[in-house]
Amino acid sequence: MSSPGSAAATAILKEEVDIVIPTIRNLDFLDMWRPFFEGYHLIIVQDGDPSKVIKVPEGFDYELYNRNDINRVLGPKAHCISFKDSACRCFGFLLSKKKYIFTIDDDCFVAKDPSGKEINALEQHLKNLLSPSTPFFFNTLYDPYREGVDFVRGYPFSLREGVPTAASHGLWLNIPDYDAPTQLVKPLERNNRYVDAVMTIPKGTLFPMCGMNLAFNRELIGPAMYFGLMGDGQPIGRYDDMWAGWCVKVISDHLGLGVKTGLPYIWHSKASNPFVNLKKEYKGIYWQEELIPFFQSVSLPKECTTAQKCYIELSKQVKAKLGKVDEYFNKLADAMVTWIEAWDELNPSGPKSEALPNGSAK
Amino acid sequence: MSSPGSAAATAILKEEVDIVIPTIRNLDFLDMWRPFFEGYHLIIVQDGDPSKVIKVPEGFDYELYNRNDINRVLGPKAHCISFKDSACRCFGFLLSKKKYIFTIDDDCFVAKDPSGKEINALEQHLKNLLSPSTPFFFNTLYDPYREGVDFVRGYPFSLREGVPTAASHGLWLNIPDYDAPTQLVKPLERNNRYVDAVMTIPKGTLFPMCGMNLAFNRELIGPAMYFGLMGDGQPIGRYDDMWAGWCVKVISDHLGLGVKTGLPYIWHSKASNPFVNLKKEYKGIYWQEELIPFFQSVSLPKECTTAQKCYIELSKQVKAKLGKVDEYFNKLADAMVTWIEAWDELNPSGPKSEALPNGSAK
């Protein structure tokens, strides 16, 4: 992308991007992001006690929702939004009317690249989302659309146009995103390696999607970005983003969309408590051994031409095949349907409906 | 890998590695590699006029073969080794009796990492080959076996042992490995980006394997490292490594082996002539559009438990499905069989035979 084009694109995108932040505390971390988030709209989803007052630094354009708001907006459907878990962030995805979402945790700070320059994570995510993906064949020099790179010898010419990008998964310097067992075994491990690459995760390959530093095209894949039932009243936590990632990936593969990972980095400041995490994760750690083969074998019928249709079909397969792993998955499958009902209710004209490929009727 | 272990491993590996170099000129480039290649054995395959004398700098331990040697050693099977094309390098793979091969082109110099340190490409390839691969699930922090990194949250524990690594594909700074059309369009493009990562190419994903800077485990995958019929008397060139890469990848996928790409970089000094390249490549450029779907759909039966058996089966599928694309593929399929016959003849005890998993009977 040429520089002038990028600048123009970024200016326009201020009207097309919502930044979604789940939190339980004052959002002082936003001060650091001010140069990059200024002019963008924030949707803050307050988790936990709704009577607590969350302070947002001055000068930001935001709306803030707590549990009372979720109950008020969704009524009987509110149960599909998790409580006391950052999975509640997906309420923000539901409410947004924008084309692109960037979601970030409140313990994520601005990282620096090896030259010492502060990284504009949002800008890099938008670059990732605005350029195509290449899920059908691996390019050994990574993102072929980046300046100074191209497709290498032997890359089929018929595949060089790529496909639309559904999601951009960014990484973390400092505290790596480890599970509780790895945190316990390697409490001091820090990620200091800046890998200067963005790549498409190939079709048919699953990955562990972390919700800490994530952007996506809401029109293309929003209905699949459901973070499941986690936290309060649920037997599991810390698998919200993983669940969303596996669903997003199989649906993107089916719809011919791309998912990228790599740049941008954020600075992850704080390791969560590994003992608490272990309690949240332990069922996930063994359920996962059945979930991965399930997602690897998911096949969606041709009639599923939108993310909504794919997601409803996926919920049926979850119930049919994972219900026997644990009763929880029956409840989750029902919540997946409720989520789509809520999505359709709040997004009546249907972003990315078949009749309106640009979703421009909203 | 811990440092003492690595040092010991590297010392042992001097007995287990051959460096294979195809060339048509004096090997002055070796002077630059002296600190890294010292003590290793070189197999030099002289292409073109066998009466030409190729000078090798003093102090290297090498054997050199020209076309006359190829004819003498292989007799009627010599036709499977290409002439006037760097595809002739695979004759060195055939003759070697070592466990690991590193092959490098004679226009590849020692690259420097961003700190200015010269990169020991061979050592990095051996690290890649000696540590497992992770083809079944993507790790977002790249190689999980590297120091300071691990598997991220959400990576299934049952997959963390990985699988043996068959091949390590290194990259190039300076002149990127572009096809003729891209060379013509972007004559001045240089690769200056050092991406500090090694990754496994996921199962089911094909990639463009370049033979310029490549290492592999000869016992695991050697019989599939055939560079086809290229150059003199053939309708195609510059697809030798691509062909080998597609075969190696589908066979590695079938056998549960891994293929890595990324580090190490070499410094690629010289862009080849794009007009000459276009003449060599143009059939490949359109044949490739049929080759990729073919390789993407290859399925090997369970009985194929060795690289040899897989390769013979693949040759049958090439004949059955690509013979109709062009008569050339019938000839190539026959040469694939000849190659395996030559392999078995020169490697009688059968490296990586089923009865001798360590290939230790040689």
Side-chain angles (χ1 to χ4, degrees):
Chain A
M1 281 178 291
S2 67
S3 293
S6 295
T10 307
I12 292 164
L13 286 171
K14 291 208 173 180
E15 300 302 312
E16 299 206 59
V17 176
D18 275 336
I19 299 173
V20 173
I21 303 165
T23 192
I24 52 167
R25 57 194 144 213
N26 295 335
L27 292 176
D28 303 329
F29 92 111
L30 281 174
D31 273 326
M32 197 181 200
W33 287 100
R34 195 178 294 274
F36 307 114
F37 289 179
E38 212 141 46
Y40 287 93
H41 183 69
L42 314 183
I43 299 179
I44 299 161
V45 184
Q46 178 181 346
D47 198 17
D49 180 5
S51 68
K52 187 178 167 183
V53 176
I54 299 277
K55 281 187 203 155
V56 181
E58 278 195 26
F60 285 95
D61 168 35
Y62 70 93
E63 48 196 309
L64 187 152
Y65 299 93
N66 63 28
R67 191 70 210 180
N68 295 335
D69 299 312
I70 294 173
N71 290 335
R72 181 178 46 77
V73 172
L74 292 182
K77 296 193 184 77
H79 70 88
C80 77
I81 303 297
S82 299
F83 185 47
K84 294 192 180 169
D85 192 286
S86 72
C88 68
R89 79 175 82 220
C90 63
F91 182 70
F93 308 162
L94 203 57
L95 277 198
S96 169
K97 293 290 168 282
K98 304 287 179 62
K99 186 169 181 179
Y100 302 103
I101 299 283
F102 172 42
T103 183
I104 183 169
D105 281 3
D106 61 8
D107 62 348
C108 292
F109 298 164
V110 177
K112 288 179 179 171
D113 71 18
S115 77
K117 198 183 157 208
E118 293 202 324
I119 297 164
N120 187 341
L122 177 54
E123 184 184 47
Q124 180 66 49
H125 275 302
L126 293 175
K127 277 186 183 176
N128 295 349
L129 291 172
L130 287 167
S131 61
S133 289
T134 53
F136 305 121
F137 200 85
F138 191 92
N139 194 48
T140 51
L141 288 182
Y142 313 100
D143 181 1
Y145 305 108
R146 192 169 171 180
E147 220 169 306
V149 198
D150 213 306
F151 292 94
V152 300
R153 179 170 59 91
Y155 203 103
F157 280 83
S158 63
L159 297 177
R160 296 191 185 195
E161 278 194 22
V163 301
T165 301
S168 165
H169 177 259
L171 300 175
W172 343 275
L173 291 172
N174 193 36
I175 309 285
D177 187 33
Y178 287 165
D179 48 64
T182 308
Q183 280 185 299
L184 288 165
V185 170
K186 295 179 157 184
L188 300 177
E189 192 152 287
R190 296 292 177 268
N191 184 28
N192 304 314
R193 182 171 295 125
Y194 182 93
V195 175
D196 189 11
V198 177
M199 79 192 59
T200 299
I201 300 169
K203 184 178 179 178
T205 300
L206 294 172
F207 78 114
M209 186 182 84
C210 172
M212 223 187 306
N213 171 23
L214 175 71
F216 59 93
N217 183 320
R218 194 176 161 278
E219 289 183 2
L220 291 179
I221 204 67
M225 267 302 172
Y226 174 48
F227 275 48
L229 295 176
M230 302 281 149
D232 199 49
Q234 308 299 343
I236 183 176
R238 280 171 60 86
Y239 271 86
D240 51 338
D241 41 9
M242 297 300 141
W243 180 263
W246 298 327
C247 295
V248 159
K249 189 60 171 52
V250 297
I251 291 173
S252 293
D253 283 351
H254 173 77
L255 293 176
L257 305 171
V259 175
K260 294 181 183 176
T261 185
L263 303 182
Y265 285 91
I266 53 79
W267 179 266
H268 186 205
S269 64
K270 192 179 64 71
S272 46
N273 184 315
F275 300 97
V276 172
N277 290 346
L278 189 62
K279 191 179 164 190
K280 291 177 181 173
E281 282 174 10
Y282 79 97
K283 281 178 194 269
I285 285 173
Y286 66 85
W287 283 346
Q288 179 172 293
E289 299 295 335
E290 309 226 30
L291 299 183
I292 298 308
F294 164 75
F295 279 105
Q296 282 173 336
S297 69
V298 159
S299 170
L300 299 169
K302 271 188 194 167
E303 299 75 62
C304 293
T305 50
T306 64
Q308 276 102 322
K309 286 181 188 174
C310 290
Y311 205 69
I312 290 293
E313 170 62 25
L314 193 56
S315 75
K316 290 177 194 164
Q317 297 189 19
V318 167
K319 188 165 263 189
K321 295 191 182 161
L322 295 177
K324 58 177 184 280
V325 172
D326 193 277
E327 176 56 30
Y328 166 73
F329 291 99
N330 287 319
K331 217 166 61 170
L332 178 54
D334 290 339
M336 291 167 75
V337 175
T338 304
W339 161 262
I340 293 296
E341 288 169 357
W343 187 279
D344 287 342
E345 203 175 293
L346 288 169
N347 299 275
S349 65
K352 191 64 188 174
S353 78
E354 287 163 285
L356 300 160
N358 295 319
S360 52
K362 284 180 304 175
Chain B
M1 281 177 290
S2 67
S3 292
S6 295
T10 308
I12 292 165
L13 287 171
K14 290 208 172 179
E15 300 302 312
E16 299 205 60
V17 176
D18 275 338
I19 299 172
V20 173
I21 303 164
T23 192
I24 51 169
R25 56 192 145 214
N26 294 336
L27 292 176
D28 303 327
F29 92 111
L30 281 174
D31 274 326
M32 198 183 201
W33 287 100
R34 194 178 292 276
F36 307 113
F37 289 179
E38 212 140 47
Y40 286 92
H41 183 70
L42 313 184
I43 299 179
I44 298 160
V45 184
Q46 178 180 347
D47 197 18
D49 180 3
S51 69
K52 185 175 167 184
V53 175
I54 299 278
K55 281 188 203 152
V56 181
E58 277 194 28
F60 285 95
D61 168 36
Y62 71 93
E63 48 194 313
L64 187 152
Y65 299 94
N66 64 28
R67 192 69 209 179
N68 295 336
D69 300 310
I70 294 173
N71 290 336
R72 179 178 47 76
V73 171
L74 292 181
K77 296 192 184 77
H79 70 88
C80 78
I81 304 296
S82 299
F83 187 48
K84 294 193 179 168
D85 192 285
S86 71
C88 68
R89 78 175 84 218
C90 64
F91 181 70
F93 308 162
L94 204 56
L95 278 198
S96 168
K97 294 288 168 282
K98 304 288 179 63
K99 186 168 181 180
Y100 303 103
I101 299 283
F102 172 42
T103 184
I104 182 169
D105 281 3
D106 62 7
D107 62 347
C108 291
F109 298 164
V110 178
K112 289 180 178 169
D113 71 18
S115 77
K117 198 183 155 207
E118 292 201 326
I119 297 165
N120 186 341
L122 177 53
E123 184 184 45
Q124 179 66 49
H125 275 302
L126 293 175
K127 278 185 184 178
N128 295 349
L129 291 172
L130 288 168
S131 61
S133 289
T134 53
F136 305 121
F137 201 85
F138 191 91
N139 195 46
T140 51
L141 288 182
Y142 313 101
D143 182 0
Y145 304 108
R146 190 168 173 182
E147 223 169 306
V149 198
D150 212 307
F151 292 95
V152 301
R153 181 171 58 93
Y155 202 101
F157 280 81
S158 62
L159 297 176
R160 295 191 186 194
E161 278 194 22
V163 301
T165 302
S168 165
H169 177 260
L171 300 175
W172 342 275
L173 291 173
N174 194 36
I175 309 284
D177 187 34
Y178 286 164
D179 48 63
T182 308
Q183 279 185 299
L184 289 164
V185 171
K186 294 179 158 182
L188 299 178
E189 192 153 286
R190 296 293 177 266
N191 184 27
N192 304 315
R193 182 172 294 123
Y194 182 92
V195 175
D196 188 11
V198 178
M199 78 194 62
T200 300
I201 300 168
K203 183 176 179 181
T205 300
L206 294 172
F207 78 113
M209 187 181 83
C210 171
M212 223 188 299
N213 171 24
L214 175 70
F216 59 92
N217 183 319
R218 193 176 163 278
E219 290 184 1
L220 291 179
I221 205 68
M225 268 300 173
Y226 175 49
F227 274 48
L229 295 175
M230 302 281 149
D232 199 49
Q234 308 299 343
I236 182 176
R238 280 172 60 84
Y239 271 86
D240 52 338
D241 41 6
M242 297 299 142
W243 180 263
W246 298 326
C247 294
V248 159
K249 190 58 172 53
V250 297
I251 291 173
S252 294
D253 282 351
H254 173 77
L255 293 176
L257 304 172
V259 175
K260 293 181 183 176
T261 185
L263 304 182
Y265 285 91
I266 53 81
W267 179 265
H268 187 205
S269 65
K270 192 179 63 69
S272 46
N273 184 315
F275 300 97
V276 173
N277 290 346
L278 189 61
K279 190 178 166 191
K280 291 177 181 174
E281 282 174 12
Y282 78 98
K283 281 180 196 267
I285 284 172
Y286 65 86
W287 283 345
Q288 179 172 292
E289 300 295 337
E290 310 224 29
L291 298 183
I292 297 307
F294 165 75
F295 279 105
Q296 283 173 335
S297 68
V298 160
S299 171
L300 299 169
K302 272 186 193 169
E303 300 74 63
C304 292
T305 50
T306 64
Q308 278 101 321
K309 287 181 188 175
C310 290
Y311 205 70
I312 291 292
E313 169 63 24
L314 193 56
S315 76
K316 289 178 194 164
Q317 297 188 21
V318 167
K319 188 165 263 187
K321 296 190 180 161
L322 295 177
K324 58 180 185 280
V325 172
D326 193 276
E327 178 56 32
Y328 167 73
F329 291 98
N330 287 319
K331 218 166 58 169
L332 178 55
D334 290 338
M336 291 167 75
V337 175
T338 305
W339 161 262
I340 293 295
E341 288 168 357
W343 187 279
D344 287 341
E345 203 174 292
L346 288 168
N347 299 275
S349 64
K352 192 62 191 172
S353 78
E354 286 163 284
L356 300 161
N358 295 319
S360 52
K362 282 182 300 177

